[in-house]
């Protein structure tokens, strides 16, 4: 509010004269526009028949991904993702904006830390969110979880499918990691 009130160098309010050099004003505007949407955001996902991965979103457009389990291991025609492999990738500007939109709209404080149903296979996911002094992990293994979390999950899984992954030797640790549903056994050979 102070920035707006003092936008003009000789603006008077309640007999207080504001004199702010234009350079300082510009820096304040830039800093206020670049407020971080999160300090840390991670997502881990497991689907019994499709994939098990963890992804860490950075403040810029980079992401770090760990493919914990992949059905692509037995198919040499599909170069990635492969099990137990770390990758980096770049989000498009549109993807980064969509992620920021999700994280701005979701009030993580209002959710429980777990939504659990007892089923043998299917999907589960875990979100880890940290901003300022607020930190929360939310585990979901349920067909009745909050719509905002399901929408975010669906978007991330869709984006992950289209990422151009590059292998990395960087050691990745995830706060969102969970014990996955075991993958199905390999097909029996006759």
């Amino acid at each position: 509010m102070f920035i707006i009130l003092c936008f003009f160098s000789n603006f008077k309010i309640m007999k207080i004269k504001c004199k702010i050099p234009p350079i300082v004003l510009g820096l304040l505007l830039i800093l206020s526009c670049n407020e971080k949407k999160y300090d840390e955001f991670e997502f881990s996902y497991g689907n019994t028949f499709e994939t098990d991965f963890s992804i860490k979103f950075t403040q810029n457009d980079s992401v770090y991904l760990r493919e914990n389990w992949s059905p692509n291991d037995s198919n040499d025609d599909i170069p990635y993702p492969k099990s137990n492999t770390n990758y980096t990738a770049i989000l498009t500007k549109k993807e980064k904006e969509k992620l920021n939109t999700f994280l701005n709209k979701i009030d993580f404080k209002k959710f429980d830390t777990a939504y659990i149903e007892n089923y043998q296979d299917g999907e589960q996911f875990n979100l880890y969110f940290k901003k300022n002094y607020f930190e929360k992990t939310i585990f979901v293994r349920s067909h009745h979880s909050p719509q905002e979390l399901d929408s975010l999950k669906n978007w991330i899984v869709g984006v992950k499918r289209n990422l151009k992954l590059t292998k990395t030797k960087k050691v990745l640790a995830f706060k969102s990691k969970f014990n996955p549903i075991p993958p199905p056994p390999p097909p029996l050979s006759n």
Side-chain angles (χ1 to χ4, degrees):
M1 182 64 111
F2 181 75
I3 294 171
I4 294 169
L5 295 176
C6 295
F7 186 74
F8 298 102
S9 61
N10 289 321
F11 195 78
K12 289 185 181 181
I13 294 187
M14 298 186 315
K15 299 181 183 178
I16 298 174
K17 197 172 193 180
C18 295
K19 289 195 177 208
I20 298 178
I23 293 173
V24 172
L25 181 62
L27 287 173
L28 289 173
L29 283 171
I30 290 170
L31 290 174
S32 66
C33 292
N34 287 334
E35 178 187 337
K36 292 192 302 187
K37 308 303 182 214
Y38 54 91
D39 294 323
E40 294 179 55
F41 180 63
E42 297 178 8
F43 174 84
S44 291
Y45 175 83
N47 182 315
T48 308
F49 302 103
E50 184 181 346
T51 186
D52 180 313
F53 70 91
S54 297
I55 188 168
K56 183 181 302 225
F57 295 88
T58 65
Q59 294 300 316
N60 57 29
D61 56 0
S62 299
V63 295
Y64 293 100
L65 184 127
R66 168 80 175 172
E67 188 74 18
N68 301 305
W69 175 81
S70 171
N72 299 334
D73 294 344
S74 59
N75 187 344
D76 292 334
D77 293 335
I78 301 175
Y80 60 82
K82 300 291 185 181
S83 296
N84 301 314
T85 308
N86 295 338
Y87 298 96
T88 61
I90 303 294
L91 295 177
T92 66
K93 182 178 180 183
K94 185 176 177 180
E95 290 167 339
K96 186 64 178 181
E97 288 171 357
K98 183 69 173 175
L99 174 66
N100 287 339
T101 299
F102 271 115
L103 297 181
N104 277 338
K105 288 183 180 179
I106 295 175
D107 180 7
F108 289 96
K109 293 176 185 175
K110 75 177 184 178
F111 296 116
D112 292 334
T113 56
Y115 297 88
I116 300 174
E117 287 181 48
N118 187 17
Y119 50 80
Q120 295 301 312
D121 57 16
E123 67 179 8
Q124 59 187 355
F125 62 95
N126 206 24
L127 298 160
Y128 172 76
F129 179 83
K130 180 179 179 186
K131 182 174 181 181
N132 299 328
Y133 298 105
F134 176 76
E135 183 174 12
K136 192 165 198 176
T137 301
I138 304 170
F139 177 74
V140 178
R141 183 182 168 105
S142 174
H143 298 293
H144 300 48
S145 56
Q147 191 271 330
E148 296 105 315
L149 299 180
D150 280 341
S151 294
L152 178 59
K153 178 251 320 178
N154 292 335
W155 180 80
I156 292 172
V157 170
V159 164
K160 186 259 186 184
R161 285 187 186 117
N162 297 315
L163 289 174
K164 291 180 176 46
L165 301 174
T166 303
K167 277 187 191 181
T168 182
K169 293 186 186 271
K170 181 177 177 79
V171 176
L172 301 176
F174 293 92
K175 294 176 180 132
S176 63
K177 183 75 177 91
F178 54 81
N179 292 325
I181 301 169
L188 296 173
S189 59
N190 294 339

